[in-house]
Amino acid sequence: KCTLWAEGKHFHAVRASCPEAAAVRRYERTVALCDMDARSSYIIDVFRVAGGAEHVKFQHSHFGKLEVDGVTLSPAANLIPDTQMRNFRMGTVRADGFAARWTVDDRYKLLRAGQTVGLRHWELTEDAEAGTCEGWIAVGGYNTTEELWIPRLVVRKHATEGVSTFLAVLEPHNGQPRIESVRRLKLVSPSGPSDGDASCAVEVRRADGLRDIVVIPDPERKGTTITVADAGLTLDGDLCRVTLDAQGQVRWVAAVGCSELRIGG
């Protein structure tokens, strides 16, 4: 079921829910596409799960090489037996998250000479383990027997009675990334610090000197005003993206399902 659809000039988002897919109480994903210019964008990915004893997210890109920063990896047992995955390496995520980089291999020779394609991934999920593995794929569909193992990112949370919230920022690029840094911001509700981590706020600092604040509250707490203290932002709505210049002045705003949005003055 689609529960949110936002199609703006520079901001696009969709949220879908299907708890039946995993026989759990909640199985919901929100993805926002944030344009930086006519050719560059990044993605905010929020996946919320409630129910079951363990939640594991797998993320893969294309053919190529995967490198991870911020996690010390050690060989680990296969987290989910009887699947087409192997060579698990896991570690504990540091408090400020970790980053991953894919260097994409142009296997089908689609790029012009000198062109490159990469993908950067910032994982901001709290209280998680993370690592890598290899996933099996059939390369040529039904007309060939060729097969390969490609790198896959793994993020694991042990379930509690609350919600496991997986939060990531992804930037595809042509060899010249446009994002300088990413960090998760703390939220405050009227009753104090936001309970759990189901509501999310992210700061993205860009190479053009602009700074984005993206806030994606928990939809099950709709109608609750939350504050991002580090940004001086207050929101009552489904989500928002605010772009600030180097002086902290608002350059651009997108808001969805919003009854109140305040920032600065």
Side-chain angles (χ1 to χ4, degrees), residues 11-64:
F11 181 80
H12 327 269
V14 62
R15 183 175 67 225
S17 174
C18 188
E20 301 84 2
V24 293
R25 180 179 70 80
R26 190 172 183 185
Y27 195 76
E28 172 190 274
R29 196 165 201 168
T30 306
V31 178
L33 179 66
C34 303
D35 299 335
M36 292 183 282
D37 55 37
R39 298 180 59 86
S40 302
S41 302
Y42 63 89
I43 297 161
I44 307 285
D45 179 16
V46 181
F47 207 142
R48 300 180 179 96
V49 187
E54 182 182 65
H55 303 143
V56 188
K57 182 182 76 170
F58 297 95
Q59 174 78 41
H60 63 254
S61 177
H62 199 56
F63 308 106

Tab-separated table of all heavy atoms in Angstrom, residues 11-64:
chain	number	residue	atom	x	y	z
A	11	PHE	N	12.429	17.651	-5.329
A	11	PHE	CA	12.308	16.702	-4.226
A	11	PHE	C	11.179	15.730	-4.544
A	11	PHE	O	10.090	16.132	-4.952
A	11	PHE	CB	12.000	17.464	-2.927
A	11	PHE	CG	11.884	16.593	-1.714
A	11	PHE	CD1	13.017	16.144	-1.057
A	11	PHE	CD2	10.644	16.218	-1.221
A	11	PHE	CE1	12.910	15.346	0.080
A	11	PHE	CE2	10.534	15.425	-0.101
A	11	PHE	CZ	11.673	14.988	0.554
A	12	HIS	N	11.450	14.441	-4.359
A	12	HIS	CA	10.494	13.402	-4.731
A	12	HIS	C	10.558	12.314	-3.662
A	12	HIS	O	11.641	11.930	-3.225
A	12	HIS	CB	10.851	12.802	-6.100
A	12	HIS	CG	11.479	13.788	-7.041
A	12	HIS	ND1	10.763	14.550	-7.927
A	12	HIS	CD2	12.774	14.158	-7.192
A	12	HIS	CE1	11.579	15.336	-8.610
A	12	HIS	NE2	12.815	15.111	-8.183
A	13	ALA	N	9.402	11.816	-3.216
A	13	ALA	CA	9.414	10.824	-2.142
A	13	ALA	C	8.225	9.881	-2.274
A	13	ALA	O	7.172	10.248	-2.808
A	13	ALA	CB	9.379	11.509	-0.774
A	14	VAL	N	8.431	8.661	-1.798
A	14	VAL	CA	7.354	7.674	-1.763
A	14	VAL	C	7.512	6.843	-0.503
A	14	VAL	O	8.638	6.596	-0.045
A	14	VAL	CB	7.373	6.767	-3.028
A	14	VAL	CG1	8.671	5.974	-3.119
A	14	VAL	CG2	6.168	5.843	-3.056
A	15	ARG	N	6.382	6.454	0.099
A	15	ARG	CA	6.387	5.553	1.251
A	15	ARG	C	5.406	4.432	0.978
A	15	ARG	O	4.295	4.666	0.485
A	15	ARG	CB	5.991	6.292	2.529
A	15	ARG	CG	6.060	5.416	3.780
A	15	ARG	CD	5.777	6.220	5.051
A	15	ARG	NE	4.396	6.687	5.099
A	15	ARG	CZ	4.046	7.919	5.440
A	15	ARG	NH1	4.960	8.830	5.738
A	15	ARG	NH2	2.764	8.266	5.464
A	16	ALA	N	5.819	3.196	1.275
A	16	ALA	CA	4.960	2.031	1.048
A	16	ALA	C	5.026	1.113	2.247
A	16	ALA	O	6.049	1.016	2.925
A	16	ALA	CB	5.380	1.287	-0.211
A	17	SER	N	3.908	0.415	2.511
A	17	SER	CA	3.801	-0.470	3.663
A	17	SER	C	3.271	-1.828	3.223
A	17	SER	O	2.326	-1.906	2.438
A	17	SER	CB	2.855	0.146	4.696
A	17	SER	OG	2.633	-0.744	5.766
A	18	CYS	N	3.910	-2.900	3.722
A	18	CYS	CA	3.434	-4.249	3.406
A	18	CYS	C	3.876	-5.217	4.501
A	18	CYS	O	4.780	-6.033	4.306
A	18	CYS	CB	3.958	-4.704	2.049
A	18	CYS	SG	3.221	-6.260	1.485
A	19	PRO	N	3.264	-5.148	5.703
A	19	PRO	CA	3.671	-6.057	6.783
A	19	PRO	C	3.433	-7.517	6.438
A	19	PRO	O	4.109	-8.404	6.971
A	19	PRO	CB	2.808	-5.601	7.959
A	19	PRO	CG	1.666	-4.852	7.360
A	19	PRO	CD	2.205	-4.213	6.122
A	20	GLU	N	2.498	-7.794	5.526
A	20	GLU	CA	2.219	-9.185	5.137
A	20	GLU	C	3.423	-9.834	4.454
A	20	GLU	O	3.578	-11.054	4.478
A	20	GLU	CB	1.015	-9.232	4.180
A	20	GLU	CG	-0.271	-8.664	4.760
A	20	GLU	CD	-0.365	-7.160	4.622
A	20	GLU	OE1	0.557	-6.543	4.041
A	20	GLU	OE2	-1.367	-6.576	5.106
A	21	ALA	N	4.289	-9.022	3.853
A	21	ALA	CA	5.441	-9.575	3.131
A	21	ALA	C	6.369	-10.353	4.055
A	21	ALA	O	7.024	-11.309	3.625
A	21	ALA	CB	6.216	-8.455	2.444
A	22	ALA	N	6.448	-9.946	5.320
A	22	ALA	CA	7.348	-10.606	6.268
A	22	ALA	C	6.618	-11.135	7.488
A	22	ALA	O	7.263	-11.546	8.457
A	22	ALA	CB	8.443	-9.633	6.697
A	23	ALA	N	5.284	-11.121	7.449
A	23	ALA	CA	4.468	-11.608	8.573
A	23	ALA	C	4.858	-10.927	9.880
A	23	ALA	O	5.072	-11.569	10.911
A	23	ALA	CB	4.582	-13.126	8.698
A	24	VAL	N	4.966	-9.594	9.838
A	24	VAL	CA	5.306	-8.799	11.010
A	24	VAL	C	4.277	-7.684	11.176
A	24	VAL	O	3.407	-7.492	10.326
A	24	VAL	CB	6.726	-8.196	10.888
A	24	VAL	CG1	7.773	-9.300	10.938
A	24	VAL	CG2	6.870	-7.388	9.595
A	25	ARG	N	4.405	-6.947	12.295
A	25	ARG	CA	3.443	-5.873	12.542
A	25	ARG	C	3.672	-4.689	11.624
A	25	ARG	O	2.736	-4.005	11.210
A	25	ARG	CB	3.547	-5.417	14.009
A	25	ARG	CG	2.576	-4.295	14.362
A	25	ARG	CD	2.684	-3.879	15.806
A	25	ARG	NE	3.927	-3.171	16.101
A	25	ARG	CZ	4.123	-1.873	15.823
A	25	ARG	NH1	3.187	-1.175	15.215
A	25	ARG	NH2	5.267	-1.301	16.162
A	26	ARG	N	4.941	-4.457	11.300
A	26	ARG	CA	5.273	-3.283	10.496
A	26	ARG	C	6.407	-3.590	9.541
A	26	ARG	O	7.412	-4.189	9.929
A	26	ARG	CB	5.660	-2.127	11.420
A	26	ARG	CG	5.782	-0.797	10.725
A	26	ARG	CD	5.967	0.304	11.759
A	26	ARG	NE	6.022	1.612	11.149
A	26	ARG	CZ	6.273	2.737	11.811
A	26	ARG	NH1	6.469	2.696	13.121
A	26	ARG	NH2	6.305	3.901	11.189
A	27	TYR	N	6.264	-3.195	8.296
A	27	TYR	CA	7.271	-3.433	7.259
A	27	TYR	C	7.075	-2.307	6.256
A	27	TYR	O	6.247	-2.386	5.355
A	27	TYR	CB	7.049	-4.805	6.626
A	27	TYR	CG	8.200	-5.335	5.816
A	27	TYR	CD1	9.332	-5.853	6.438
A	27	TYR	CD2	8.144	-5.363	4.424
A	27	TYR	CE1	10.375	-6.380	5.695
A	27	TYR	CE2	9.180	-5.882	3.679
A	27	TYR	CZ	10.302	-6.388	4.313
A	27	TYR	OH	11.335	-6.901	3.576
A	28	GLU	N	7.827	-1.219	6.436
A	28	GLU	CA	7.505	0.044	5.772
A	28	GLU	C	8.784	0.741	5.333
A	28	GLU	O	9.745	0.848	6.098
A	28	GLU	CB	6.731	0.926	6.746
A	28	GLU	CG	6.467	2.344	6.294
A	28	GLU	CD	5.929	3.151	7.457
A	28	GLU	OE1	4.696	3.117	7.666
A	28	GLU	OE2	6.746	3.778	8.175
A	29	ARG	N	8.767	1.250	4.111
A	29	ARG	CA	9.957	1.914	3.581
A	29	ARG	C	9.593	3.277	3.011
A	29	ARG	O	8.601	3.421	2.308
A	29	ARG	CB	10.602	1.060	2.497
A	29	ARG	CG	12.035	1.468	2.160
A	29	ARG	CD	12.728	0.383	1.366
A	29	ARG	NE	14.192	0.497	1.446
A	29	ARG	CZ	15.018	-0.450	1.037
A	29	ARG	NH1	14.531	-1.583	0.553
A	29	ARG	NH2	16.329	-0.278	1.124
A	30	THR	N	10.425	4.265	3.328
A	30	THR	CA	10.308	5.605	2.771
A	30	THR	C	11.588	5.921	2.023
A	30	THR	O	12.683	5.747	2.566
A	30	THR	CB	10.111	6.660	3.882
A	30	THR	OG1	9.002	6.293	4.694
A	30	THR	CG2	9.878	8.040	3.284
A	31	VAL	N	11.464	6.373	0.784
A	31	VAL	CA	12.627	6.745	-0.013
A	31	VAL	C	12.399	8.145	-0.576
A	31	VAL	O	11.355	8.416	-1.166
A	31	VAL	CB	12.877	5.752	-1.160
A	31	VAL	CG1	14.063	6.197	-2.004
A	31	VAL	CG2	13.127	4.354	-0.607
A	32	ALA	N	13.375	9.027	-0.369
A	32	ALA	CA	13.298	10.396	-0.877
A	32	ALA	C	14.474	10.652	-1.814
A	32	ALA	O	15.624	10.344	-1.475
A	32	ALA	CB	13.309	11.402	0.270
A	33	LEU	N	14.187	11.204	-2.978
A	33	LEU	CA	15.206	11.571	-3.963
A	33	LEU	C	15.387	13.080	-3.917
A	33	LEU	O	14.445	13.833	-4.163
A	33	LEU	CB	14.787	11.129	-5.363
A	33	LEU	CG	15.747	11.462	-6.502
A	33	LEU	CD1	17.051	10.694	-6.346
A	33	LEU	CD2	15.107	11.143	-7.858
A	34	CYS	N	16.603	13.527	-3.585
A	34	CYS	CA	16.889	14.952	-3.383
A	34	CYS	C	17.833	15.431	-4.478
A	34	CYS	O	19.004	15.028	-4.526
A	34	CYS	CB	17.541	15.171	-2.016
A	34	CYS	SG	16.560	14.557	-0.616
A	35	ASP	N	17.330	16.290	-5.355
A	35	ASP	CA	18.157	16.832	-6.436
A	35	ASP	C	19.078	17.909	-5.898
A	35	ASP	O	18.664	18.765	-5.107
A	35	ASP	CB	17.283	17.424	-7.538
A	35	ASP	CG	16.369	16.388	-8.180
A	35	ASP	OD1	16.717	15.202	-8.136
A	35	ASP	OD2	15.325	16.783	-8.728
A	36	MET	N	20.353	17.889	-6.335
A	36	MET	CA	21.291	18.966	-6.025
A	36	MET	C	21.462	19.908	-7.201
A	36	MET	O	21.695	21.093	-7.034
A	36	MET	CB	22.640	18.375	-5.593
A	36	MET	CG	22.563	17.657	-4.253
A	36	MET	SD	24.169	17.026	-3.689
A	36	MET	CE	24.333	15.546	-4.716
A	37	ASP	N	21.387	19.377	-8.413
A	37	ASP	CA	21.359	20.173	-9.638
A	37	ASP	C	20.714	19.302	-10.711
A	37	ASP	O	20.105	18.278	-10.401
A	37	ASP	CB	22.761	20.658	-10.042
A	37	ASP	CG	23.768	19.513	-10.186
A	37	ASP	OD1	23.376	18.425	-10.667
A	37	ASP	OD2	24.944	19.709	-9.829
A	38	ALA	N	20.845	19.709	-11.961
A	38	ALA	CA	20.154	18.993	-13.031
A	38	ALA	C	20.690	17.586	-13.246
A	38	ALA	O	20.010	16.743	-13.848
A	38	ALA	CB	20.247	19.794	-14.333
A	39	ARG	N	21.908	17.289	-12.750
A	39	ARG	CA	22.535	15.993	-13.023
A	39	ARG	C	22.893	15.209	-11.771
A	39	ARG	O	23.317	14.057	-11.883
A	39	ARG	CB	23.799	16.190	-13.868
A	39	ARG	CG	23.551	16.805	-15.236
A	39	ARG	CD	24.853	16.975	-16.013
A	39	ARG	NE	25.514	15.701	-16.206
A	39	ARG	CZ	25.251	14.869	-17.212
A	39	ARG	NH1	24.303	15.168	-18.076
A	39	ARG	NH2	25.920	13.745	-17.348
A	40	SER	N	22.752	15.799	-10.585
A	40	SER	CA	23.215	15.139	-9.366
A	40	SER	C	22.101	15.080	-8.338
A	40	SER	O	21.406	16.073	-8.096
A	40	SER	CB	24.411	15.904	-8.766
A	40	SER	OG	25.472	15.993	-9.694
A	41	SER	N	21.954	13.906	-7.727
A	41	SER	CA	20.945	13.691	-6.689
A	41	SER	C	21.508	12.758	-5.629
A	41	SER	O	22.513	12.083	-5.848
A	41	SER	CB	19.673	13.062	-7.280
A	41	SER	OG	19.116	13.863	-8.291
A	42	TYR	N	20.839	12.726	-4.491
A	42	TYR	CA	21.130	11.703	-3.496
A	42	TYR	C	19.818	11.163	-2.954
A	42	TYR	O	18.744	11.738	-3.176
A	42	TYR	CB	22.027	12.239	-2.369
A	42	TYR	CG	21.420	13.343	-1.538
A	42	TYR	CD1	20.652	13.063	-0.409
A	42	TYR	CD2	21.627	14.678	-1.867
A	42	TYR	CE1	20.103	14.073	0.358
A	42	TYR	CE2	21.087	15.700	-1.107
A	42	TYR	CZ	20.322	15.393	0.008
A	42	TYR	OH	19.773	16.393	0.757
A	43	ILE	N	19.900	10.041	-2.247
A	43	ILE	CA	18.719	9.316	-1.789
A	43	ILE	C	18.759	9.190	-0.274
A	43	ILE	O	19.810	8.868	0.303
A	43	ILE	CB	18.673	7.909	-2.425
A	43	ILE	CG1	18.547	8.011	-3.946
A	43	ILE	CG2	17.530	7.078	-1.842
A	43	ILE	CD1	18.944	6.739	-4.673
A	44	ILE	N	17.633	9.455	0.381
A	44	ILE	CA	17.448	9.136	1.794
A	44	ILE	C	16.567	7.887	1.850
A	44	ILE	O	15.478	7.861	1.287
A	44	ILE	CB	16.754	10.281	2.557
A	44	ILE	CG1	17.489	11.607	2.344
A	44	ILE	CG2	16.648	9.928	4.040
A	44	ILE	CD1	18.770	11.739	3.085
A	45	ASP	N	17.041	6.856	2.545
A	45	ASP	CA	16.339	5.573	2.603
A	45	ASP	C	16.041	5.240	4.059
A	45	ASP	O	16.964	5.088	4.867
A	45	ASP	CB	17.226	4.493	1.967
A	45	ASP	CG	16.597	3.106	2.008
A	45	ASP	OD1	15.375	3.004	2.247
A	45	ASP	OD2	17.327	2.124	1.797
A	46	VAL	N	14.756	5.143	4.405
A	46	VAL	CA	14.335	4.815	5.774
A	46	VAL	C	13.467	3.555	5.714
A	46	VAL	O	12.434	3.544	5.057
A	46	VAL	CB	13.532	5.970	6.419
A	46	VAL	CG1	13.140	5.601	7.846
A	46	VAL	CG2	14.333	7.259	6.396
A	47	PHE	N	13.902	2.502	6.402
A	47	PHE	CA	13.174	1.228	6.421
A	47	PHE	C	12.839	0.903	7.875
A	47	PHE	O	13.731	0.753	8.697
A	47	PHE	CB	14.039	0.123	5.819
A	47	PHE	CG	13.266	-1.013	5.214
A	47	PHE	CD1	13.708	-1.626	4.047
A	47	PHE	CD2	12.101	-1.490	5.791
A	47	PHE	CE1	13.004	-2.670	3.478
A	47	PHE	CE2	11.394	-2.531	5.234
A	47	PHE	CZ	11.846	-3.127	4.070
A	48	ARG	N	11.536	0.805	8.188
A	48	ARG	CA	11.091	0.527	9.554
A	48	ARG	C	10.452	-0.852	9.610
A	48	ARG	O	9.584	-1.185	8.802
A	48	ARG	CB	10.097	1.589	10.018
A	48	ARG	CG	10.642	3.019	10.023
A	48	ARG	CD	9.604	4.000	10.497
A	48	ARG	NE	10.091	5.381	10.552
A	48	ARG	CZ	9.908	6.276	9.592
A	48	ARG	NH1	9.246	5.933	8.483
A	48	ARG	NH2	10.376	7.510	9.723
A	49	VAL	N	10.886	-1.640	10.609
A	49	VAL	CA	10.379	-3.000	10.785
A	49	VAL	C	10.043	-3.207	12.253
A	49	VAL	O	10.799	-2.807	13.138
A	49	VAL	CB	11.414	-4.060	10.344
A	49	VAL	CG1	10.798	-5.451	10.378
A	49	VAL	CG2	11.958	-3.750	8.958
A	50	ALA	N	8.902	-3.846	12.528
A	50	ALA	CA	8.522	-4.199	13.903
A	50	ALA	C	7.926	-5.595	13.895
A	50	ALA	O	7.010	-5.890	13.129
A	50	ALA	CB	7.512	-3.201	14.467
A	51	GLY	N	8.453	-6.462	14.769
A	51	GLY	CA	8.016	-7.853	14.827
A	51	GLY	C	9.150	-8.783	14.470
A	51	GLY	O	10.038	-8.437	13.683
A	52	GLY	N	9.164	-9.958	15.056
A	52	GLY	CA	10.259	-10.885	14.807
A	52	GLY	C	11.398	-10.674	15.782
A	52	GLY	O	11.373	-9.771	16.618
A	53	ALA	N	12.414	-11.510	15.673
A	53	ALA	CA	13.506	-11.491	16.639
A	53	ALA	C	14.774	-10.844	16.115
A	53	ALA	O	15.654	-10.482	16.892
A	53	ALA	CB	13.823	-12.936	17.074
A	54	GLU	N	14.897	-10.709	14.800
A	54	GLU	CA	16.116	-10.169	14.219
A	54	GLU	C	15.773	-9.542	12.873
A	54	GLU	O	14.962	-10.072	12.110
A	54	GLU	CB	17.136	-11.292	14.028
A	54	GLU	CG	18.464	-10.830	13.463
A	54	GLU	CD	19.403	-12.007	13.247
A	54	GLU	OE1	19.078	-12.867	12.403
A	54	GLU	OE2	20.452	-12.047	13.902
A	55	HIS	N	16.395	-8.379	12.596
A	55	HIS	CA	16.160	-7.687	11.333
A	55	HIS	C	17.503	-7.463	10.643
A	55	HIS	O	18.424	-6.915	11.250
A	55	HIS	CB	15.471	-6.350	11.579
A	55	HIS	CG	14.171	-6.486	12.335
A	55	HIS	ND1	13.756	-5.567	13.279
A	55	HIS	CD2	13.210	-7.444	12.287
A	55	HIS	CE1	12.593	-5.953	13.770
A	55	HIS	NE2	12.244	-7.090	13.192
A	56	VAL	N	17.609	-7.875	9.395
A	56	VAL	CA	18.849	-7.745	8.636
A	56	VAL	C	18.536	-7.121	7.283
A	56	VAL	O	17.692	-7.626	6.549
A	56	VAL	CB	19.554	-9.104	8.433
A	56	VAL	CG1	20.925	-8.888	7.809
A	56	VAL	CG2	19.685	-9.849	9.753
A	57	LYS	N	19.233	-6.035	6.968
A	57	LYS	CA	19.069	-5.375	5.674
A	57	LYS	C	20.273	-5.688	4.794
A	57	LYS	O	21.421	-5.583	5.232
A	57	LYS	CB	18.949	-3.851	5.854
A	57	LYS	CG	18.738	-3.108	4.536
A	57	LYS	CD	18.659	-1.592	4.736
A	57	LYS	CE	20.011	-0.976	4.985
A	57	LYS	NZ	19.958	0.507	4.934
A	58	PHE	N	20.007	-6.071	3.559
A	58	PHE	CA	21.065	-6.320	2.577
A	58	PHE	C	20.952	-5.282	1.470
A	58	PHE	O	19.859	-5.028	0.961
A	58	PHE	CB	20.935	-7.727	1.987
A	58	PHE	CG	21.102	-8.832	2.994
A	58	PHE	CD1	19.996	-9.406	3.596
A	58	PHE	CD2	22.359	-9.293	3.352
A	58	PHE	CE1	20.128	-10.412	4.535
A	58	PHE	CE2	22.506	-10.301	4.292
A	58	PHE	CZ	21.393	-10.874	4.881
A	59	GLN	N	22.074	-4.697	1.104
A	59	GLN	CA	22.090	-3.663	0.063
A	59	GLN	C	23.203	-3.994	-0.916
A	59	GLN	O	24.355	-4.152	-0.528
A	59	GLN	CB	22.364	-2.295	0.694
A	59	GLN	CG	22.549	-1.164	-0.300
A	59	GLN	CD	21.235	-0.668	-0.851
A	59	GLN	OE1	20.265	-0.532	-0.120
A	59	GLN	NE2	21.191	-0.394	-2.150
A	60	HIS	N	22.843	-4.129	-2.188
A	60	HIS	CA	23.909	-4.298	-3.167
A	60	HIS	C	23.768	-3.278	-4.278
A	60	HIS	O	22.720	-2.651	-4.453
A	60	HIS	CB	23.967	-5.721	-3.728
A	60	HIS	CG	22.754	-6.144	-4.489
A	60	HIS	ND1	21.824	-7.021	-3.977
A	60	HIS	CD2	22.310	-5.818	-5.723
A	60	HIS	CE1	20.865	-7.231	-4.860
A	60	HIS	NE2	21.129	-6.506	-5.930
A	61	SER	N	24.836	-3.098	-5.016
A	61	SER	CA	24.860	-2.160	-6.126
A	61	SER	C	24.994	-2.948	-7.419
A	61	SER	O	24.114	-3.719	-7.782
A	61	SER	CB	26.004	-1.160	-5.942
A	61	SER	OG	26.092	-0.287	-7.045
A	62	HIS	N	26.119	-2.792	-8.087
A	62	HIS	CA	26.326	-3.388	-9.407
A	62	HIS	C	27.573	-4.266	-9.327
A	62	HIS	O	28.104	-4.529	-8.254
A	62	HIS	CB	26.513	-2.245	-10.419
A	62	HIS	CG	26.289	-2.631	-11.846
A	62	HIS	ND1	25.127	-3.204	-12.284
A	62	HIS	CD2	27.085	-2.500	-12.931
A	62	HIS	CE1	25.205	-3.399	-13.591
A	62	HIS	NE2	26.385	-2.996	-14.004
A	63	PHE	N	28.050	-4.724	-10.453
A	63	PHE	CA	29.351	-5.385	-10.485
A	63	PHE	C	30.406	-4.377	-10.018
A	63	PHE	O	30.346	-3.202	-10.344
A	63	PHE	CB	29.688	-5.823	-11.913
A	63	PHE	CG	28.613	-6.636	-12.574
A	63	PHE	CD1	27.820	-6.069	-13.557
A	63	PHE	CD2	28.383	-7.949	-12.213
A	63	PHE	CE1	26.829	-6.807	-14.182
A	63	PHE	CE2	27.387	-8.688	-12.822
A	63	PHE	CZ	26.611	-8.121	-13.813
A	64	GLY	N	31.367	-4.850	-9.251
A	64	GLY	CA	32.412	-3.938	-8.829
A	64	GLY	C	32.967	-4.270	-7.464
A	64	GLY	O	32.786	-5.375	-6.934
